Amino acid sequence: MAQACYLHVPFCRHICAYCDFTRCGYHETLADKWVSAVVKEIQEKLQAPLKTMYIGGGTPSALSYEQLNVLLTALDPYIQECEEYTMEANIESFSEDKIALCYHHGINRISLGVQTLQPKLLKIIERKHTKEEVLSKIKEIKKNGIDNISIDLIYGLPEQTMTMWKEDLEEIVTNFPIEHISLYALTIEEHSKFGRMGVKNIDPEVEEDMYAFAQDYLPKHGFYQYEISNFSKQGKESKHNCMYWKYEDFYGIGCGASGKEQHVRYDNTKNIHTYITQGSVANCITLNKEDEMFELIMMNLRLKKGMDLNHFKELFQVDFEEKYASVLQKQIEKGMLAISDGYIKATEKGYPLLNDILIDFME
Ligand code: SF4
């Protein structure tokens, strides 16, 4: 039985120019109906005490205090043994009463959507906070008892320069009392406002340099890289996300959420009206052994320590090195992959080219 759950809140108070996630503008009546539907799904679907719970979005903090209270109360029975309980929030909508409410319901980790500290870039991506507000929100969250904070940052934004990127990282490692940083490269999706406006990605070489700089700089300042996009202080890796990368089962709740249970992957409807009137209406795919072997490799190679070869054998009764002998020979010779201490992992050279390496495993 799954011991982790992802719950998707589709509402945002403002739609950002680059966004192509499953989300919609917050509307009180619609959100009330969504809360009723999601409470029903929680009660029908969740069965076990959970080890990790993650409420993402959208913007969970966009819900009103009362709506958030109903949602968190419905989750209470399932999180009594939870080791990590995360909620995503943004600076403007995460008021102090909501922070206290989260703490009261056992939330012990907050993931803040910061993206950049540069006023010019914040304007371009239509985020309304300032650097000072980010810092003050982090302090407010800590003051209210939640002491594990992650922030999201985006690189490759239009008009973002290497100097701006360096300034942001320096400011964060020097002054921000946080435990975890997730990095995202901007992808301009066709259906986002940026896509419709014809905004172009920055020079891919600059984007690669930004990633390489972060990879080098953050570990020197206390944030070690444990996954391709994630850096943390020692012991503060995201337990929930590690569960995905270890390919464990998880419940998916809410419209736009996905889950995986007992060799079946399901994607709940993304249509909020369908969700409210008919429930999750999930599209299910049964994963065969080959699918699962590939997905395990794909997820595990994102981790800095790589994939445990014994774990692979225990799960599938297949010897990894035998099954993928020709791919391994090619990628090890090219210096992209390495095997040591029972783990296969991407090398420094291979890490940025992981997608290309994975194609070989697909074939
Ligand atoms: S980027 Fe986040 S906050 Fe902005 S619209 Fe998308 S889901 Fe909402």
Side-chain angles (χ1 to χ4, degrees):
M1 216 176 293
Q3 293 187 303
C5 176
Y6 173 78
L7 188 149
H8 189 80
V9 179
F11 301 104
C12 293
R13 294 277 171 162
H14 172 80
I15 303 301
C16 307
Y18 58 90
C19 181
D20 191 35
F21 301 139
T22 304
R23 48 42 184 173
C24 58
Y26 175 82
H27 184 282
E28 192 182 353
T29 315
L30 189 64
D32 278 341
K33 289 180 183 168
W34 174 85
V35 170
S36 301
V38 87
V39 167
K40 193 162 173 263
E41 194 188 356
I42 288 168
Q43 290 166 348
E44 284 171 1
K45 195 180 270 178
L46 292 186
Q47 288 174 22
L50 301 170
K51 270 196 191 157
T52 67
M53 175 76 217
Y54 193 105
I55 305 178
T59 315
S61 58
L63 294 172
S64 69
Y65 179 92
E66 291 72 23
Q67 289 160 345
L68 197 54
N69 193 23
V70 174
L71 172 64
L72 299 181
T73 303
L75 288 168
D76 278 347
Y78 308 97
I79 54 88
Q80 299 306 318
E81 293 169 29
C82 215
E83 291 167 17
E84 186 184 271
Y85 189 177
T86 305
M87 190 178 94
E88 291 178 356
N90 74 3
I91 318 296
E92 307 95 279
S93 60
F94 202 30
S95 53
E96 190 159 10
D97 59 345
K98 291 183 196 173
I99 299 173
L101 181 71
C102 287
Y103 177 72
H104 172 75
H105 283 281
I107 289 178
N108 57 15
R109 185 171 182 272
I110 294 295
S111 173
L112 274 182
V114 173
Q115 322 312 359
T116 171
L117 301 175
Q118 301 288 325
K120 181 178 171 187
L121 301 182
L122 284 165
K123 205 166 170 197
I124 291 175
I125 62 171
E126 299 177 359
R127 299 298 287 242
K128 305 237 178 296
H129 56 252
T130 63
K131 177 170 78 178
E132 292 71 26
E133 285 165 350
V134 175
L135 184 54
S136 125
K137 189 56 68 183
I138 290 169
K139 289 180 177 168
E140 193 174 64
I141 295 168
K142 294 225 155 179
K143 190 185 82 187
N144 279 277
I146 304 177
D147 61 1
N148 191 356
I149 299 180
S150 176
I151 63 168
D152 291 348
L153 294 175
I154 302 184
Y155 61 98
L157 289 166
E159 299 191 36
Q160 186 177 28
T161 62
M162 193 64 179
T163 309
M164 290 175 175
W165 180 237
K166 287 179 179 175
E167 265 176 27
D168 277 4
L169 293 183
E170 189 182 340
E171 175 78 33
I172 286 162
V173 300
T174 312
N175 295 322
F176 284 33
I178 56 163
E179 283 64 37
H180 189 279
I181 302 172
S182 297
L183 303 184
Y184 298 93
L186 179 74
T187 344
I188 296 180
E189 305 288 352
E190 203 187 329
H191 300 294
S192 67
K193 191 168 168 189
F194 272 0
R196 292 193 302 274
M197 285 161 62
V199 172
K200 296 277 172 269
N201 279 106
I202 63 164
D203 181 345
E205 276 185 27
V206 176
E207 192 178 291
E208 278 167 30
D209 287 349
M210 286 178 175
Y211 177 72
F213 177 79
Q215 256 191 323
D216 179 57
Y217 182 80
L218 292 175
K220 287 178 184 156
H221 295 82
F223 291 88
Y224 90 98
Q225 184 175 18
Y226 69 100
E227 196 265 351
I228 201 155
S229 309
N230 287 279
F231 299 74
S232 81
K233 293 196 171 153
Q234 285 294 344
K236 296 294 182 183
E237 307 85 4
S238 162
K239 290 187 170 73
H240 183 82
N241 287 345
C242 284
M243 171 281 303
Y244 293 137
W245 299 317
K246 288 177 188 158
Y247 204 54
E248 291 171 14
D249 280 358
F250 60 99
Y251 299 105
I253 292 197
C255 62
S258 300
K260 180 172 82 72
E261 293 174 57
Q262 310 276 350
H263 312 285
V264 175
R265 173 181 311 291
Y266 55 89
D267 299 306
N268 287 358
T269 178
K270 291 184 174 180
N271 184 310
I272 190 161
H273 298 287
T274 305
Y275 182 75
I276 287 169
T277 52
Q278 298 171 46
S280 58
V281 195
N283 179 28
C284 300
I285 299 168
T286 302
L287 301 163
N288 63 32
K289 193 171 168 180
E290 290 291 324
D291 296 333
E292 294 197 316
M293 283 193 283
F294 175 72
E295 290 188 4
L296 180 74
I297 296 166
M298 179 174 73
M299 301 305 272
N300 275 219
L301 287 183
R302 292 181 63 95
L303 291 168
K304 197 83 178 171
K305 77 172 183 185
M307 185 180 79
D308 181 341
L309 297 174
N310 281 332
H311 181 57
F312 186 92
K313 194 164 195 169
E314 274 164 28
L315 281 180
F316 303 113
Q317 284 77 52
V318 170
D319 186 286
F320 178 83
E321 289 174 81
E322 273 175 27
K323 178 165 175 66
Y324 297 104
S326 60
V327 180
L328 288 177
Q329 192 186 359
K330 175 180 159 193
Q331 296 293 354
I332 290 173
E333 268 175 24
K334 282 165 71 182
M336 300 292 180
L337 293 176
I339 295 180
S340 71
D341 299 329
Y343 279 78
I344 169 124
K345 61 179 183 179
T347 61
E348 289 299 317
K349 185 177 166 194
Y351 224 19
L353 301 167
L354 199 52
N355 288 344
D356 298 336
I357 298 171
L358 287 169
I359 289 171
D360 275 4
F361 284 100
M362 275 176 104
E363 286 165 359

